[in-house]
Amino acid sequence: ANALLALKPLWELDGTGGLPAQFMNVARSVAENEVLKEKLLLAFASPELVKGLMLSGFTTDAVRNALRYVQEMGFEVDTVRGCKFLCDPDDAEGYCAFCRIKADAGEMERVRIKMPVINIPHTASRDRLKGKVFVHYILTPNLLTRAHRGVVFVENVDELPSETAESIAEVLAAGRNYVEGEDSGIDVPCRFTIIATMGSPDGEVHPMLLEHMSALVKYDELDALRISVRAERYARVFSESPESFA
């Protein structure tokens, strides 16, 4: 909003009477984010039904912004204060060692946090992705555990290294993150929805990941029309009253 208001003096100095091209670009971007946000609500509202969502035709920036918008709409999860694995307080069988100790001592405190949305970089090592066992019973911080009961976003999933794709698929299939150490292993709950984009229309997704994609969301002519209509509406409101638009 502040950036748009900053454009107003330039627009007035221009004297052409038309809206600046910079604003129309911003308006179209915001409209695309909102259209995609509405499509993503399905995955956030019904994670038990939608295990994976493939997006096609939307820009990466639109996907990232839409995910942030949805997260800020109030989607939250209950967990245990101090738990690094986002355990569900109502799922005693899925407690990590920390939560079991807290429950046995009657010291479990419920807290509510935003649903996690975790980006998976293509360069992530297996240790960074799944963690490793430290001192027999401690699992080091990792991306997939942080995504428990939330969303994992993978950009250009068709270009994801095979080892990374297989690691994600294994956790998706089991609903748990198992990490084996030298003398012992750690097994913690790890359930999430994966949302991915394609780098190329002709790209191929690893078969183990592809089987977890429940739905395909494509950018179509109706989406293009909705984006154009919303962008024009924003332009009209901005031209009449930039302050009220912000």
Side-chain angles (χ1 to χ4, degrees):
N2 291 334
L4 293 175
L5 288 176
L7 292 173
K8 184 183 177 185
L10 300 178
W11 172 29
E12 293 173 340
L13 288 173
D14 180 69
T16 62
L19 286 170
Q22 298 98 319
F23 172 77
M24 291 307 301
N25 291 336
V26 172
R28 286 194 62 84
S29 295
V30 172
E32 183 182 6
N33 296 342
E34 292 186 343
V35 167
L36 180 55
K37 176 190 70 177
E38 293 166 2
K39 291 176 174 286
L40 291 178
L41 285 174
L42 173 64
F44 278 75
S46 305
E48 68 282 356
L49 299 177
V50 182
K51 299 299 183 184
L53 204 61
M54 183 71 75
L55 306 179
S56 175
F58 293 93
T59 64
T60 299
D61 284 343
V63 177
R64 292 182 183 276
N65 289 332
L67 284 171
R68 187 175 70 251
Y69 289 170
V70 174
Q71 186 184 33
E72 292 174 353
M73 288 178 66
F75 286 91
E76 299 176 326
V77 295
D78 287 334
T79 187
V80 178
R81 184 178 297 279
C83 176
K84 297 180 179 180
F85 304 112
L86 298 185
C87 286
D88 183 350
D90 298 322
D91 180 19
E93 294 183 358
Y95 285 168
C96 65
F98 172 85
C99 289
R100 284 197 296 270
I101 293 173
K102 287 290 185 179
D104 291 342
E107 299 175 351
M108 181 174 288
E109 182 180 353
R110 181 188 295 256
V111 294
R112 178 162 290 185
I113 64 170
K114 285 184 178 181
M115 179 183 290
V117 176
I118 304 297
N119 295 329
I120 303 295
H122 289 203
T123 56
S125 65
R126 185 176 178 85
D127 285 350
R128 184 184 178 196
L129 194 66
K130 298 193 62 177
K132 61 181 180 179
V133 178
F134 177 70
V135 193
H136 302 298
Y137 61 90
I138 298 176
L139 184 63
T140 58
N142 60 87
L143 295 172
L144 294 185
T145 298
R146 286 171 53 201
H148 180 43
R149 303 169 65 211
V151 170
V152 158
F153 172 57
V154 181
E155 179 183 349
N156 300 343
V157 68
D158 51 319
E159 301 172 7
L160 200 64
S162 293
E163 183 181 9
T164 304
E166 291 168 3
S167 295
I168 296 173
E170 289 170 0
V171 174
L172 275 169
R176 304 186 69 83
N177 182 19
Y178 176 74
V179 181
E180 188 172 351
E182 293 183 3
D183 302 317
S184 61
I186 295 180
D187 184 31
V188 296
C190 191
R191 301 182 301 275
F192 52 81
T193 297
I194 181 170
I195 295 178
T197 62
M198 293 286 287
S200 168
D202 301 322
E204 295 185 0
V205 181
H206 194 292
M208 290 178 64
L209 266 185
L210 188 60
E211 67 182 33
H212 293 286
M213 295 298 174
S214 309
L216 171 64
V217 176
K218 296 184 67 174
Y219 179 91
D220 55 26
E221 293 180 358
L222 180 58
D223 291 325
L225 178 60
R226 293 171 66 197
I227 290 171
S228 295
V229 170
R230 291 192 185 196
E232 289 297 332
R233 185 197 313 148
Y234 295 153
R236 184 177 65 255
V237 174
F238 183 79
S239 64
E240 295 173 353
S241 177
E243 290 79 6
S244 65
F245 178 87

